[in-house]
Amino acid sequence: LAKTTQPISMDSYEGQEVNITCSHNNIATNDYITWYQQFPSQGPRFIIQGYKTKVTNEVASLFIPADRKSSTLSLPRVSLSDTAVYYCLVGDIRDDKIIFGKGTRLHILP
Amino acid sequence: EAQVTQNPRYLITVTGKKLTVTCSQNMNHEYMSWYRQDPGLGLRQIYYSMNVEVTDKGDVPEGYKVSRKEKRNFPLILESPSPNQTSLYFCASRLNPTDTQYFGPGTRLTVL
């Protein structure tokens, strides 16, 4: 299973674009990349998922280079409520064994 | 409303006293998982199930058991809890491996 490496923490300001990069050097062919957001004392919440190139939804974009050894979650125009821990996951679509990393603690300042 | 429910939400118990944390989902999901979350360690998968009567170990299965007799329920059993199992536990479900995982609200367990 591919393990992931993310920055432990990041700070940014309201209205800025935030990019969080995740490294997954051992990603396998069948692995998808998924990002979750977690607020204190709540379960993680799905943000976005992708396999290659770029994926965009109403809350974020996910950029995956051709070699798929890393990915970048992009949050446009963050607000204070985006302060949370963000997890990058790399999962095999053939089964449900999943490894969460330690996540990135994002702190948005006014 | 589509959701994953866990009970109890909070539990304080003593070493060795068997307990069960229930997990139920109303979305007809095939896949269910249990995680524990500890400070500095993120979420770690304990067990997962790909369908009724199909379960498998995650990263940290020691000291836990699970069962999947019905699609909607996936209880987590601690036969003889120990203090190192004090943690925040999350149950999750999803329809298939590429689908979003839906997490329950969490169960905070303290073993004295």
Side-chain angles (χ1 to χ4, degrees):
Chain A
L1 291 172
K3 295 209 171 193
T4 59
T5 303
Q6 306 172 231
I8 293 174
S9 66
M10 293 178 66
D11 289 341
S12 188
Y13 292 92
E14 278 192 296
Q16 299 290 309
E17 177 185 79
V18 171
N19 295 310
I20 306 175
T21 296
C22 179
S23 171
H24 28 80
N25 290 320
N26 297 321
I27 190 168
T29 303
N30 289 326
D31 286 346
Y32 275 69
I33 299 156
T34 311
W35 285 80
Y36 284 83
Q37 176 192 57
Q38 186 180 25
F39 298 113
S41 298
Q42 294 185 25
R45 187 178 70 171
F46 173 86
I47 301 174
I48 197 165
Q49 182 181 71
Y51 184 80
K52 61 180 179 180
T53 62
K54 177 183 174 183
V55 180
T56 297
N57 62 23
E58 61 276 8
V59 298
S61 294
L62 178 59
F63 299 92
I64 306 168
D67 66 5
R68 305 202 324 126
K69 292 184 184 298
S70 67
S71 58
T72 300
L73 173 72
S74 181
L75 304 171
R77 300 181 59 79
V78 293
S79 64
L80 295 176
S81 63
D82 291 315
T83 292
V85 178
Y86 292 81
Y87 292 96
C88 163
L89 279 70
V90 175
D92 190 331
I93 61 172
R94 293 170 297 180
D95 64 43
D96 204 35
K97 190 159 189 174
I98 293 169
I99 295 179
F100 275 78
K102 296 181 181 179
T104 297
R105 189 171 298 276
L106 176 65
H107 187 205
I108 305 302
L109 302 164
Chain B
E1 180 191 352
Q3 59 182 351
V4 178
T5 57
Q6 295 179 225
N7 282 293
R9 294 290 314 280
Y10 302 90
L11 178 61
I12 301 174
T13 189
V14 296
T15 299
K17 185 176 181 182
K18 181 179 178 180
L19 67 92
T20 299
V21 184
T22 64
C23 173
S24 182
Q25 49 93 5
N26 62 1
M27 297 168 279
N28 202 38
H29 284 171
E30 303 279 338
Y31 294 77
M32 298 185 75
S33 292
W34 273 104
Y35 297 86
R36 62 177 289 174
Q37 185 169 35
D38 303 288
L41 296 177
L43 282 111
R44 294 179 292 168
Q45 193 177 40
I46 302 171
Y47 268 94
Y48 61 98
S49 169
M50 297 167 70
N51 211 328
V52 174
E53 302 293 2
V54 180
T55 63
D56 209 344
K57 296 177 180 179
D59 273 347
V60 288
E62 296 78 21
Y64 304 94
K65 285 173 56 176
V66 292
S67 70
R68 188 90 183 275
K69 294 183 169 52
E70 314 163 88
K71 186 181 277 191
R72 64 181 292 126
N73 296 322
F74 190 43
L76 179 70
I77 303 154
L78 285 72
E79 295 270 3
S80 184
S82 62
N84 64 12
Q85 292 178 298
T86 292
S87 187
L88 179 58
Y89 291 87
F90 289 103
C91 178
S93 75
R94 59 183 175 174
L95 185 60
N96 57 54
T98 59
D99 190 29
T100 304
Q101 272 204 104
Y102 293 84
F103 281 81
T107 295
R108 188 167 292 280
L109 173 66
T110 301
V111 183
L112 302 174

